[in-house]
Amino acid sequence: MDADQSNLDDAIDLLSDEEATIEEKRILKGIRKFADTPVKQVMKTRLDVAGIQQATSFNEVVSIIRELHYSRFPVYKSDLDQIIGVLHVKDLLPYIHEGNDFNWHSVIRSPFFIHEQKQIEDLKNQIQILSS
């Protein structure tokens, strides 16, 4: 822990009981520590990742979404080592009543790859830069 982080923890400890309860202080320290966490600690293991194969029909995609209730799915060619994009379920909502011939690939977003040792704070900053 560097000096700035230690100073922040000390400042949180100095908050009076009227300013923050013990639980609120614990939460504040947890938020500070979370930023220093490697992304690997919050990633899903590969065994827990549900993806959609590129050749899947639109009706099958809708079925997978209804079954799993995830908001995003990696889209892959033949296996999860060949990610070609990410499907955000919200991007499909305007087309939910389309027929099976709907080209759902048109709403796939480009994948974003990161190293598992990247710090969450660094990732947040990188995403903010890319989003602006």
Side-chain angles (χ1 to χ4, degrees):
M1 181 175 352
D2 68 21
D4 287 340
Q5 294 167 341
S6 180
N7 290 342
L8 184 55
D9 281 352
D10 291 343
I12 291 170
D13 287 335
L14 291 175
L15 292 171
S16 70
D17 291 342
E18 293 82 33
E19 293 173 308
T21 65
I22 293 171
E23 179 66 12
E24 289 169 333
K25 291 176 187 180
R26 188 187 64 74
I27 291 170
L28 288 170
K29 287 181 182 181
I31 291 169
R32 202 260 325 134
K33 290 177 186 168
F34 185 71
D36 299 327
T37 303
V39 171
K40 181 177 183 173
Q41 290 188 7
V42 297
M43 292 172 69
K44 284 188 170 261
T45 65
R46 183 177 168 147
L47 295 174
D48 295 328
V49 173
I52 298 175
Q53 188 173 25
Q54 182 182 20
T56 305
S57 72
F58 181 59
N59 287 346
E60 290 175 294
V61 169
V62 172
S63 292
I64 292 168
I65 292 168
R66 285 185 175 146
E67 177 186 341
L68 299 176
H69 303 280
Y70 295 143
S71 60
R72 294 172 194 85
F73 292 87
V75 179
Y76 60 90
K77 284 188 180 182
S78 58
D79 62 45
L80 282 171
D81 288 327
Q82 298 177 317
I83 302 295
I84 60 165
V86 178
L87 176 64
H88 289 238
V89 173
K90 67 181 182 179
D91 295 341
L92 279 183
L93 291 177
Y95 311 102
I96 200 70
H97 297 295
E98 296 289 329
N100 197 39
D101 58 344
F102 173 69
N103 180 15
W104 62 273
H105 304 95
S106 63
V107 297
I108 294 174
R109 298 183 189 201
S110 296
F112 182 71
F113 298 100
I114 59 163
H115 192 277
E116 63 186 18
Q117 293 304 319
K118 185 181 243 1
Q119 300 296 308
I120 289 177
E121 180 69 19
D122 295 338
L123 175 60
K124 177 189 73 94
N125 293 337
Q126 187 176 359
I127 290 172
Q128 286 175 336
I129 291 169
L130 291 172
S131 299
S132 57

